[in-house]
Amino acid sequence: MAAAIAAVAMASGPSAFQVTEGVSDREVVVGMSAPFKGASRSLGIELYRGSMAYLNEVNRTGGIHGRKISVKVYDDGYQPDLAVKNTLKLMLEDKVFLLFDYVGTPTVTRVLPLLKKYDNLHFRLFTAFTGAQPHREPPYDRLAVNLRASYLQETEGLVTNFLGVGRSRIAVLYQADAYGRSGWVGVRAALAARNQKMVGEATYARGTKFTDSLDRQVAILQEVNPDAIVLIGAYEACAAFIRDARKAGLNVPIANVSFVGSESMLQLLRAASAADGKDYSANLVNSQVVPSYESAWIPVVKEYSALMDKYRAAPPPGLWDADYQPLVRSFVSLEGFINAKLLVEVLKRLGAQPSRSRVAAAVASIQNLELGMGRPVSFIADRNQGSDAIYYTTVEDGRFVEIRDWKGWRK
Amino acid sequence: MFGIFLLFGVIASSTSALCVYTVDRQLSAEYVANSRAIAQSIANSSMDIILNRDPSTLQSLIDQFKEIQGIKYIYIVDERGDMLAHTFVPGVPKEIMAGGQQLTGRTVERRLPGFGDFVEVSSPILDGVVGAVHVGMDKGLIALKIQTAIGQQVYLISTIFIISVVAAFVLVNLAAYPLGRLCGYAMQLAAPDVPPAMTPDEVQALLERNDEVGQLARLVRHFAMRSAPVEGT
C-alpha cells in the first residue's frame, strides 16, 4: 500500500506541483450540497454528521499531510435547481478541492453536466449518496467516485429474495423523478431477467410529507393484489405510504432501498403506531449498503460508534431547523463516516502536494482496501464503484436487524 | 331604461362570445404549437439517452419540461409502446396504460378521469423506431384563461355602463335644472298672487345667464312686462 501511495504521490513529480484550488498549507476544503431543510433533511444532516465524526478525529490528530479537512456546506433542499446553483458556487467561488457527499439522484443528475462543462478544472463528485446509474456509466462515470452499491444491485437483490420465497407479484411505489425511475428500472430489469413483470406501479411527488395522504397510491397497488411492494422513495413519503397501506389492510412485505433514511422512517412509524395503536413497523424490509450499526463486532461500526459518541457532530450551523433531533446512530451517518474514510485515504495517496488532476489515479490505486466493513474496497478498471456490499434488514423490537434467512418471508 | 339595459346585455354577450371564440382559438393553437415544439425537442434530445443511457436520465430530462405552464404530463414510450418515463402522479392512468400508443406525430383530445381534459401532442423518436414522446396540455388552463378574459371584459363593460348611467344622470340634471327654474319664473310672473318660489337673487341669476335659458327668461319677462299695462287698463 505504501508503494501505491508513493507512486500516486510522485506520479507527476514534485516540480509539477502548483497551488491547487481548495488546498492551502493548513487546509483542504471539500464542498457538499445536500438537503438540510425540508422533507428529506435527515439524509443530508446525518450524512454530514457521520462524515464529520471521522473528519473531526482526523483533524484532531493532525490532519492529512499537515492539513485539516473542512467541508463547505450548502442546503439544496433536495431541489435540482438549487443543487446546480450550489455546485457552481462551490466550484467557481469557493473553489473547493472536490465535491463530496452530495445527496439524491435528481440533484446529482443535474449537477453532472456541470462537472463535464468544467472538465478542465478536474472536479470529481466524491461518494454521492445515491445509487443511480448516470454517474456510474459513460459519459459521467469518470467524473464521479462511488463507494456504495447501486440501486440496480439493491433492487436486484430485493427482487431475487422475494421471488425466492414465492412472492412473484411485485409492485412498485416510486418517487416521480430520476431517483424513482432508477429504482423502477432496477425492479423492472430484475423481473425481466426472470421473464416476469411488475404487477403494478404508483408514484408520488417529491417533497411529499408524512402528514400527506397516500391513499390513492395504496388503492392503485391494492387493486393489483401484490405479494410484495418495493418503495423507491424518501422517508416521509415512504412512512406515509406504509401507514396508509396498513390502515387499508395491505399487509404484504414492503421493502425500501438504502436511500430512504431507515431510522427517520422508523421514527415516524413509531409515532404513528403509538397514536393509532397499530404496529406499522411490521413486515418491512430495508436494503442497506453499509453494515448494521448494531453489529458492534464489525471494526468500522465500532470505530463509528466511538467517534459519533465522542464528537456528537452538530448539523452545520445555520443550515438546520431547531426542531430537528439528530439521530444517535443511523445507516446514513455510518455511510457518511465510511465515505469520509475513503476521502481521507485518497487524500493520503495524493501526497503532500495534492492536485485534482491526480484524484482519479489515486482512486484507481485503491485495491482491496480494508475500510473496516469486513469486505475490502477496490476500484477496478472502468468501474468507479468501490463496494458491492448489500445488507438486508428488518425491524425487530423497534430496531433494524439483519435478515439472515428469508424463509420467514415465504408467502 | 329597459332599452338601455337590453342594449348593454346585447353588447356584453356578443363581445363575450367573440372573446371566448378568439381566446379559445388562439390559446389552443398557441398551446398545441408549444406542446408540439416541446415534444419534438424532447424527441430529438432523448434518442441518444434512450439508446445509450438509463431511463433516470430520461426522467430528469422530462421533469424539466413539466414546469412549463400548461404542460400537465409527459410520457415516453418505446417502440413496443412500453412506458420508459412519465410524470404522472399517483400513477399512469388506465386509459394510457391500456396501450394503443401512437408512434407517429399527432394531436388528440383526451379525457382522463381523475386528471382532467387534455390535448395530447405526440412526436415520434427517430421516426417511431425508438419510440414516441407524448405531451399533455391542460385544457382546464385554457378554460381558466377564457374565464379570466371574459370576467375582465364583463367587469370593464359593467364599469363603463355604470359610469355612463351616472354621467347621463348628472348631465340631464344639469340641463333640466335651469329649465325648471325658468318654468318656475314663468309661473311666478303668470301668477303674481302666489308666493314666489324664487328669491330675487335667484331670479336675477337666471336673467343674467348667457345661454338659451337666460335668453328665454328675459323673453318671458319682456312679454310679461308688455302685457302687464294692457291687463291693468
Side-chain angles (χ1 to χ4, degrees), chain A residues 53 65 77 81 85 112 154 203 233 294 308 370:
Chain A
H65 301 297
D81 289 345
K85 284 181 184 168
L112 290 171
E154 284 191 67
T203 58
E294 302 278 359
M308 285 295 281
E370 187 50 73

Side-chain angles (χ1 to χ4, degrees), chain B residues 30-121:
Chain B
E30 187 183 324
Y31 274 109
V32 168
N34 286 347
S35 303
R36 189 171 292 126
I38 290 166
Q40 284 172 353
S41 169
I42 295 173
N44 291 337
S45 50
S46 63
M47 65 180 84
D48 181 52
I49 296 173
I50 292 172
L51 294 173
N52 299 309
R53 309 274 299 281
D54 86 313
S56 64
T57 308
L58 200 59
Q59 185 72 44
S60 190
L61 174 74
I62 65 174
D63 284 348
Q64 294 172 58
F65 286 94
K66 196 183 65 178
E67 304 302 321
I68 296 172
Q69 190 191 35
I71 302 301
K72 199 70 174 180
Y73 64 80
I74 302 170
Y75 65 96
I76 300 179
V77 294
D78 65 14
E79 71 278 14
R80 295 181 301 275
D82 290 340
M83 196 67 70
L84 291 176
H86 68 80
T87 60
F88 291 107
V89 174
V92 182
K94 287 176 182 167
E95 292 75 9
I96 288 175
M97 287 294 275
Q101 307 299 340
Q102 294 291 316
L103 298 175
T104 55
R106 62 168 191 166
T107 302
V108 294
E109 298 211 351
R110 271 194 190 275
R111 169 160 289 180
L112 302 174
F115 287 86
D117 294 330
F118 305 93
V119 174
E120 186 180 295
V121 176

Side-chain angles (χ1 to χ4, degrees), chain A residues 148-350:
Chain A
R148 66 188 345 260
S150 69
Y151 294 142
L152 285 183
Q153 292 171 301
E154 284 191 67
T155 50
E156 157 76 21
L158 287 169
V159 168
T160 302
N161 282 309
F162 278 133
L163 292 179
V165 292
R167 295 187 178 275
S168 57
R169 295 181 61 79
I170 294 175
V172 181
L173 170 80
Y174 56 101
Q175 189 166 285
D177 64 7
Y179 161 49
R181 187 61 58 197
S182 280
W184 175 88
V185 167
V187 174
R188 189 182 67 157
L191 287 167
R194 294 156 182 82
N195 294 319
Q196 305 257 12
K197 283 188 170 183
M198 59 179 80
V199 294
E201 60 177 82
T203 58
Y204 74 87
R206 184 173 63 230
T208 294
K209 292 185 178 301
F210 182 62
T211 47
D212 296 334
S213 167
L214 270 80
D215 284 339
R216 290 199 299 164
Q217 286 82 350
V218 169
I220 289 170
L221 296 189
Q222 202 161 23
E223 201 175 310
V224 300
N225 190 28
D227 293 333
I229 302 170
V230 178
L231 309 189
I232 314 294
Y235 59 93
E236 291 223 18
C238 288
F241 176 82
I242 291 165
R243 176 201 61 208
D244 294 342
R246 299 316 190 208
K247 274 185 183 173
L250 187 57
N251 291 317
V252 296
I254 296 179
N256 294 277
V257 293
S258 57
F259 182 84
V260 72
S262 300
E263 295 75 17
S264 300
M265 184 186 81
L266 188 56
Q267 269 189 344
L268 292 170
L269 289 175
R270 271 202 214 107
S273 296
D276 298 347
K278 192 170 176 139
D279 182 13
Y280 293 129
S281 64
N283 238 3
L284 299 182
V285 176
N286 281 34
S287 62
Q288 313 288 356
V289 293
V290 293
S292 170
Y293 50 84
E294 302 278 359
S295 306
W297 60 90
I298 297 176
V300 76
V301 172
K302 196 174 172 182
E303 188 182 10
Y304 157 82
S305 300
L307 294 181
M308 285 295 281
D309 289 344
K310 181 175 179 181
Y311 289 103
R312 297 181 187 280
L319 278 185
W320 62 295
D321 300 319
D323 67 325
Y324 182 77
Q325 294 294 320
L327 301 170
V328 178
R329 303 275 189 279
S330 70
F331 289 98
V332 178
S333 60
L334 177 55
E335 184 169 341
F337 186 87
I338 297 171
N339 288 348
K341 290 196 77 168
L342 182 64
L343 172 68
V344 166
E345 179 62 30
V346 169
L347 291 174
K348 278 181 189 168
R349 290 177 184 233
L350 283 170

